[in-house]
Amino acid sequence: MSEFAHQRAELVAQLRRRGIVDERVLSAMATVPREQFVPDALQHEAYKDAALPVTEGQTISQPFIVALMTQLLSLEGGETVLEIGTGTGYQTAVLSLLCRFVVSIERLSGLAAEAKNRLSQLGYGNVELHTGDGTLGWKPAAPYDRVLVTAGAPEVPAPLYNQLRLGGRLVIPVGDEQSQVLEVIVKGQHGPEVIDAGGCRFVKLIGDAGWEPV
Ligand code: SAH
C-alpha cells in the first residue's frame, strides 16, 4: 500500500470512530485521493482531519465535515445533486461516487478551472461544473434531489430551496461570519422541516442571496 493510501485508510478509521456511520460515505472517502486536491506544499498534511488553505483565500473543508455533510444528504445512488462552492472539487468527487449526477458551481473562475481539470484527470465523469453565483442555483438541471452548500450563508437562499424537489434535502451552514449551524432542510408538502446538525465554520457564501462581496 502506498503511503497516501495508508494515511487515507487511517483517516477513514478515524471518521468511523468520530461517529460517521454511512458505509457508502466511508468507502467513497476511502478512495478519493485528497492529496491530489491540496496544494503541493501541503500534501504531507492531506490526511490530517483539518481544513487546509488553498488558493484565493479559500479552503478545502475538514474531512470530518465533508463526511458529516455527505452523510446528512442520505444519498442512495440515484440522485441528482446540486453543490454550491466547488472549491478544490474534493467534496464534488466524494458526491460523484454516491449519486447519479452532480452539478457544482464555483464563483471564482481560477478555482473552478483547476477543479475541472483535476476532476476530469482523475476520471470523475458524472459531474458538470459551472462558474457563477451559486446562490441563484442552476435552473437548467432543476429540480434537484439534494442540494449541498459548502460555504457559510447568512440565510437559506430562496432559489436553492425552490430548485429542490418535493421530499428533497438541502444541507447548508447558516449563521454569521464567525460560526454557523449546519442545517438540514427537508422540503415537505406543508413547507420546510429544519433539523439542526451542529456547529461548523465555513468561508463566506458570497452572492445575490448570500453575503455582499467585500
Ligand atoms: N467544497 C470545497 C470547499 C469549499 S470552500 C472543497 O471540497 O474543497 C467554499 C467555496 O465556495 C469557495 O471556493 C468559494 O469561492 C465558494 N463560493 C462562495 N460563494 C459562492 C457562490 N455564491 N457561488 C459559488 N461558489 C461560492
Side-chain angles (χ1 to χ4, degrees):
M1 208 191 252
S2 75
E3 182 54 26
F4 284 131
H6 180 72
Q7 291 178 15
R8 191 178 314 126
E10 277 294 305
L11 173 66
V12 169
Q14 192 181 339
L15 295 173
R16 198 186 286 280
R17 286 195 297 274
R18 293 195 60 190
I20 302 298
V21 294
D22 186 327
E23 290 297 332
R24 294 182 73 241
V25 173
L26 292 164
S27 27
M29 291 187 66
T31 75
V32 180
R34 193 169 187 259
E35 76 278 6
Q36 304 282 334
F37 291 80
V38 304
D40 288 350
L42 293 176
Q43 278 204 337
H44 63 289
E45 296 193 41
Y47 292 100
K48 273 192 181 168
D49 190 17
L52 294 172
V54 298
T55 49
E56 309 203 44
Q58 305 304 314
T59 54
I60 179 169
S61 305
Q62 181 192 354
F64 177 75
I65 289 289
V66 171
L68 178 63
M69 291 201 299
T70 311
Q71 174 168 279
L72 290 169
L73 287 174
S74 303
L75 294 168
E76 289 177 353
E79 300 85 356
T80 300
V81 179
L82 174 66
E83 178 196 28
I84 311 303
T86 317
T88 64
Y90 177 74
Q91 171 79 72
T92 320
V94 172
L95 290 172
S96 79
L97 296 174
L98 297 170
C99 70
R100 191 182 64 76
F101 196 67
V102 187
V103 177
S104 183
I105 308 180
E106 170 57 51
R107 87 178 254 279
L108 299 172
S109 56
L111 274 174
E114 274 178 38
K116 194 169 204 162
N117 280 338
R118 186 179 285 128
L119 290 168
S120 78
Q121 270 170 20
L122 292 171
Y124 297 101
N126 55 335
V127 301
E128 182 181 292
L129 304 188
H130 299 280
T131 304
D133 178 6
T135 66
L136 304 174
W138 185 259
K139 274 197 182 157
Y144 299 95
D145 300 299
R146 305 285 188 265
V147 177
L148 175 62
V149 181
T150 66
E155 56 193 38
V156 178
L160 299 184
Y161 184 76
N162 294 339
Q163 289 174 31
L164 196 60
R165 78 159 167 79
L166 202 59
R169 283 176 168 237
L170 165 63
V171 174
I172 180 170
V174 179
D176 62 28
E177 295 173 35
Q178 300 310 318
S179 68
Q180 302 95 35
V181 167
L182 209 47
E183 288 188 359
V184 180
I185 296 155
V186 181
K187 186 167 184 169
Q189 289 280 6
H190 307 290
E193 181 199 340
V194 182
I195 304 153
D196 171 347
C200 57
R201 183 176 182 169
F202 278 84
V203 296
K204 285 203 278 185
L205 181 74
I206 296 171
D208 222 54
W211 295 99
E212 298 260 324
V214 277

